[in-house]
Amino acid sequence: MPLKKEGFQSIGEFLSFSLSTNDQASSGQIKTALFFVRQVVSVLLGLTAGFLHLQGILTILGFLFISMGFSYYYVFKYKQVDEDKIENTEIYTEGLGASIGEFLLTWTLVYTVV
C-alpha cells in the first residue's frame, strides 16, 4: 500500500480532497484542509455579522462556538475521520488564531462600510 504524500500539488487536488467525504488521508492533510476551510468559514461569518450589524462580546463568543462546532463536524462527520487518528484539541485549535483575525477584520470592515 503506497503512502500518501503530506502536501497538495495543486489547488484542484486540494479542492477535491477538501470536498470529498470519504478519503483515507494523513493527519497532516486533514489539518491543512481544516485550516483553509476554517478561513473561508470565518470570512463568511464575518460578512454575516457585519451585514446584520451585530455588536459585542456575544458576537465573538458566537463565532468561536460556531467555528469550533464546524471544525468538529467537518473532520469527524463530513470527512469521516476516526476519532483515534486526531486529537480533539488539534481539531479545535487548528487555524483558530488566523480565523479569529479574519473574522474580526471582515466583521469590522463590513460593519463600518454598510
Side-chain angles (χ1 to χ4, degrees), residues 4-8 14 17-18 20-38 71-87 90-91 94-95:
K4 289 226 173 202
K5 57 188 181 248
E6 285 295 318
F8 298 102
F14 169 74
F17 173 80
S18 297
S20 68
T21 56
N22 192 4
D23 193 7
Q24 301 299 326
S26 68
S27 65
Q29 286 179 318
I30 293 167
K31 289 193 290 188
T32 301
L34 177 62
F35 179 86
F36 288 107
V37 169
R38 194 174 205 175
S71 297
Y72 180 85
Y73 174 80
Y74 178 75
V75 172
F76 295 122
K77 302 297 182 195
Y78 183 76
K79 294 296 284 178
Q80 301 172 357
V81 174
D82 187 23
E83 291 192 25
D84 296 333
K85 193 172 187 177
I86 297 179
E87 293 183 29
E90 291 179 356
I91 297 304
E94 183 66 34

Side-chain angles (χ1 to χ4, degrees), residues 12 23 25 27 35 39 47 56 65 68-69 78-79 81 89 93 97 104:
D23 193 7
S27 65
F35 179 86
Q39 304 317 307
L47 288 169
F65 180 75
M68 289 182 183
Y78 183 76
K79 294 296 284 178
V81 174
T89 55
T93 58
L104 290 174

Side-chain angles (χ1 to χ4, degrees), residues 35 38-40 42-43 46 97-107:
F35 179 86
R38 194 174 205 175
Q39 304 317 307
V40 171
S42 67
V43 169
S99 67
I100 289 172
E102 287 183 2
F103 169 75
L104 290 174
L105 177 66
T106 308
W107 175 32

